[in-house]
Structure formats: C-alpha cells, structure tokens
Amino acid sequence: MTTTTYTALAIPSAALAELRSVDDAGRACRAFTADGDAAGSPLRCCLRAARAGERIALVSYAPLRRWAAGSGAEPGAYDEQGPVFIHAEECGGPDPAPRAYPFGRPGALRTLRRYDAGGRIVGGRLFEIPEAATEGFDRAFAEAFADPAVALVHVRAVEYGCFHFEVRRAAS
C-alpha cells in the first residue's frame, strides 16, 4: 500500500470538544444515529467514513478562523464556515499511521485552497482525484508547497463546499 508524503490533519481535539457543544455558527450540537444516507458520511474528527449505527453530528466549522486564532493571522473576508460531520462523542481521532489520504474516491472533485501565513488565499486549484489517489494528492500538495508563501492547504468538496482536511507546510 502506498503511504502519503503529506499529513492530512483532522479537526483538532480542542475544537471538536467545543463543536460538540456549540458549533462555529453558534448553534447547539444535535447528535443523531448514522443510517441511510448518513452512513458513509466523511467524519472530520477521525478522517474516515461514518458507519451505520454510530452517533454523529453535522456542525458548522470555520477551519481558517480557528487556525488564525492560534497563529495570529488575520484572514478577514477569507474566513468561512461550512458543514462537517463529526462523531457526537470523543472518538480517539484518526489512525496515527495513515496509509492514504482520506476521502480519496477516484473521480471526485476537490478544490485545494492555498493560504499564506496571514490567512489570505494565495492560490488554489480544481483537483479531480485520479485512480492513483495518493500519488495525485502528493503531486498536488508538492505543487502547492513549491510556492514559499503557502502555509497551509484546505481540501474541500466541490459539490457541497465542505472542508475535508488540512495539510500544513512541514516544519523546516
């Protein structure tokens, strides 16, 4: 199995604890049992698909705002929030040794938004996940981080605009 070159980051545990109470739009978290269409939904807490019978929640999440709060960046108008699925209770997070990028269904369309250290968009691209998903993501992230201004990349679904995961520039 192919391993990734870059690390896909889940929503941090401190943010998840807050989102499980009140989301980034100020709404109370409402848990439900995954079944039907919700089974298979991408969970941003552990970077895997929801399984039937699990307790999950759909919450509003502002990834750039939360990153900026810890980094001192000022994203201004680039701050946005959107829907993400999470486990309704603590789940332990993603597998510590991921072998592939999460939610890498070949043919799915993603947007890879590049942000600088100030939280401003400095580029992006439409990305169709290829059959060799891991290699395709590796190339796309290498292209993004070839620009020294890029501090992080957000991967979002094109069809719903939801945040999938973040990749940060490796510390040098």
Side-chain angles (χ1 to χ4, degrees):
M1 182 176 274
T2 306
T3 57
T4 63
T5 301
Y6 298 90
T7 302
L9 301 173
I11 297 175
S13 59
L16 288 165
E18 293 172 3
L19 294 170
R20 289 180 178 121
S21 177
V22 176
D23 73 11
D24 286 345
R27 289 185 291 270
C29 180
R30 294 186 183 179
F32 62 95
T33 301
D35 59 4
D37 290 340
S41 295
L43 296 166
R44 282 36 166 249
C45 49
C46 56
L47 301 180
R48 68 164 176 79
R51 298 179 186 120
E54 289 184 304
R55 297 288 292 161
I56 63 174
L58 180 62
V59 299
S60 184
Y61 178 56
L64 193 61
R65 179 186 318 160
R66 287 183 173 269
W67 169 80
S71 70
E74 293 285 338
Y78 295 112
D79 176 33
E80 60 183 310
Q81 62 192 31
V84 295
F85 288 97
I86 62 173
H87 276 113
E89 292 85 28
E90 190 173 333
C91 67
D95 179 346
R99 300 188 190 291
Y101 293 103
F103 322 124
R105 181 177 46 85
L109 295 176
R110 301 290 179 253
T111 182
L112 279 60
R113 292 191 190 152
R114 304 168 186 179
Y115 296 91
D116 68 12
R120 293 172 300 276
I121 292 177
V122 292
R125 68 172 283 207
L126 180 63
F127 178 70
E128 182 175 350
I129 300 174
E131 286 298 321
T134 298
E135 292 82 358
F137 271 117
D138 279 345
R139 283 190 301 276
F141 294 134
E143 172 189 296
F145 291 115
D147 178 349
V150 175
L152 62 139
V153 176
H154 284 178
V155 177
R156 293 179 172 268
V158 170
E159 60 273 47
Y160 298 105
C162 2
F163 171 84
H164 273 228
F165 62 90
E166 175 178 297
V167 173
R168 295 184 185 176
R169 178 176 294 285
S172 31

